[in-house]
Amino acid sequence: MVHLRIKKTHTGRGVFAGETIPKGAVITHMQGKEHVWDEVEKLIKNGKVRLDDPFQIGEEDFLLLDRLSVLFNHSCDPNAGINKERDLVALRAILPGEEICYDYSATVCTHSSWVMRCKCGSSVCRKKIGNVRTIPLAVRKKYKAKGLLSAFIRSELV
Ligand SMILES: [Zn+2]
């Protein structure tokens, strides 16, 4: 098990490395309860789920992530990514105290109209993020080559 710490950030809470995490290491497995979009939409409307939190796993299928998985924040220059097994893996060595982030857009299908203002602060920040097509092509290709786009998204991009 990788040692992780949950700490406050400028946007709420986030997950930080509690030890050095080597490149390629599995940080955690993204898991939660599966729901179809209609159910998720109702939960968002009722204020039970935040709009940015549902994790897409298929055209109509989402996970409401568990208490840890939901706390990982987005970055436009992420140090982690999610593979086909839904493991969050380190894209480079992550030092103790560094926040662990992945690119939310890599999990959002092209039909989605979801948008989020980004305050990740990276030099390549896209400011407003949305579905997978809002990722610059070169970055999207890099994610695809590393197996960091979900199967339902990869098939859409062909
Ligand atoms: Zn950003």
Side-chain angles (χ1 to χ4, degrees):
M1 267 295 273
V2 174
H3 185 216
L4 301 171
R5 287 177 197 277
I6 294 163
K7 290 201 294 192
K8 279 191 178 153
T9 69
H10 64 296
T11 56
R13 286 188 296 168
V15 185
F16 293 73
E19 60 182 320
T20 301
I21 305 172
K23 182 180 176 179
V26 173
I27 297 160
T28 190
H29 181 66
M30 303 298 280
Q31 53 196 348
K33 244 182 135 182
E34 209 171 316
H35 291 267
V36 293
W37 172 248
D38 288 349
E39 295 166 6
V40 173
E41 197 176 26
K42 269 183 217 148
L43 291 167
I44 291 170
K45 279 185 182 153
N46 295 338
K48 297 213 162 61
V49 169
R50 297 191 321 166
L51 177 65
D52 301 334
D53 285 348
F55 181 86
Q56 193 171 17
I57 55 167
E59 286 280 310
E60 294 291 326
D61 303 308
F62 291 79
L63 288 183
L64 294 181
L65 295 168
D66 67 21
R67 287 160 61 99
L68 173 67
S69 303
V70 77
L71 292 178
F72 290 92
N73 286 316
H74 162 89
S75 172
C76 299
D77 185 19
N79 53 15
I82 296 166
N83 68 13
K84 284 183 279 296
E85 285 73 41
R86 221 176 285 150
D87 292 325
L88 184 69
V89 295
L91 299 182
R92 57 170 172 77
I94 302 173
L95 299 176
E98 260 192 90
E99 186 176 4
I100 301 165
C101 298
Y102 65 96
D103 191 330
Y104 284 6
S105 297
T107 68
V108 182
C109 83
T110 55
H111 309 307
S112 174
S113 56
W114 169 79
V115 286
M116 185 183 93
R117 290 179 75 86
C118 186
K119 295 176 191 139
C120 76
S122 99
S123 60
V124 293
C125 182
R126 307 195 291 271
K127 310 288 185 205
K128 199 169 128 185
I129 64 163
N131 74 41
V132 66
R133 284 208 189 278
T134 66
I135 301 172
L137 186 61
V139 178
R140 205 195 301 158
K141 278 184 174 162
K142 191 181 83 183
Y143 289 166
K144 192 177 177 182
K146 291 183 176 184
L148 301 175
L149 298 179
S150 305
F152 68 96
I153 286 176
R154 284 201 308 277
S155 62
E156 285 180 339
L157 288 176
V158 173

